[in-house]
Amino acid sequence: MKQWTIRGEYIQLDQLLKKYDVISSGGQIGSFLAENEVTLNGTPVHEKRKKIRPGDTLRRDGEDIQILGED
């Protein structure tokens, strides 16, 4: 399982995917979600700006990613 670290209380899905170079611009998030299976804590995600918080688990194309907060 991969681990990604965020700052603050939450980060939006589009910003998180840009931060970790999954997409190169926020404009790509719509097509990315249409072409890839993404779930947050087991629930499918379709919201471009879904809030992702420390402790969440994001699943992208069969790969789990644990979201950690910065201490």
Side-chain angles (χ1 to χ4, degrees):
M1 176 185 294
K2 283 188 178 181
Q3 294 180 333
W4 288 355
T5 303
I6 64 169
R7 281 189 200 176
E9 182 181 338
Y10 68 87
I11 188 170
Q12 294 178 171
L13 179 61
D14 59 338
Q15 295 171 343
L16 180 68
L17 295 178
K18 283 192 309 187
K19 177 179 178 174
Y20 285 96
D21 296 323
V22 176
I23 58 174
S24 58
S25 73
Q28 294 178 324
I29 187 70
S31 61
F32 178 82
L33 290 176
E35 297 171 6
N36 297 274
E37 183 180 342
V38 178
T39 62
L40 180 63
N41 302 321
T43 304
V45 178
H46 304 287
E47 300 171 51
K48 299 173 186 180
R49 292 178 179 84
K50 181 75 175 168
K51 292 179 180 175
I52 312 296
R53 293 176 161 69
D56 285 342
T57 299
L58 190 69
R59 186 172 183 88
R60 177 178 66 100
D61 291 333
E63 177 179 39
D64 288 334
I65 303 161
Q66 182 179 17
I67 308 302
L68 305 174
E70 236 179 35
D71 292 332

